Amino acid sequence: MKNAIKSLFVSALFVVLSFAIQAQITNAVRGQVIEKITRQSLPGATVLIIDSDPLVGTTTDMDGYFEITNVPVGRVSIQISFLGYETVVLQDQFL
């Protein structure tokens, strides 16, 4: 009986661990896009996670704020673009 309980516990633990390994840990990227010199917010700027599959991104709100959810934890590169401005890439940001 004691061995059966241990075996059952080990089996249950294995199932929990396999679910944890399959579940991908994610984070959110939040921020505000502002103009470098005037410090004014840029509403409608595009913010993308480079090399995400599927492509993950958003646009900024009226105050230049954005939030991208469900981004896999690790190092990511973020591309920010806005019409009339040079595109900026933030390389290897750790989440």
Side-chain angles (χ1 to χ4, degrees):
M1 179 69 174
K2 198 180 234 187
N3 285 338
I5 292 172
K6 283 183 182 179
S7 177
L8 185 62
F9 175 73
V10 171
S11 296
L13 182 61
F14 177 73
V15 170
V16 170
L17 288 176
S18 66
F19 281 123
I21 291 170
Q22 290 177 1
Q24 190 173 25
I25 299 173
T26 62
N27 206 344
V29 178
R30 297 177 189 90
Q32 183 182 29
V33 178
I34 58 173
E35 207 277 337
K36 186 176 183 177
I37 297 171
T38 66
R39 312 297 281 173
Q40 293 292 317
S41 62
L42 294 177
T46 302
V47 183
L48 298 172
I49 305 298
I50 297 176
D51 295 330
S52 57
D53 185 26
L55 187 61
V56 177
T58 191
T59 56
T60 57
D61 67 11
M62 293 304 293
D63 297 317
Y65 288 99
F66 69 91
E67 179 178 19
I68 303 172
T69 58
N70 296 323
V71 179
V73 171
R75 294 196 180 276
V76 297
S77 294
I78 303 168
Q79 176 181 302
I80 303 165
S81 58
F82 189 76
L83 188 62
Y85 288 84
E86 185 176 326
T87 297
V88 173
V89 176
L90 305 173
Q91 297 282 348
D92 295 326
Q93 302 299 302
F94 186 75
L95 301 180

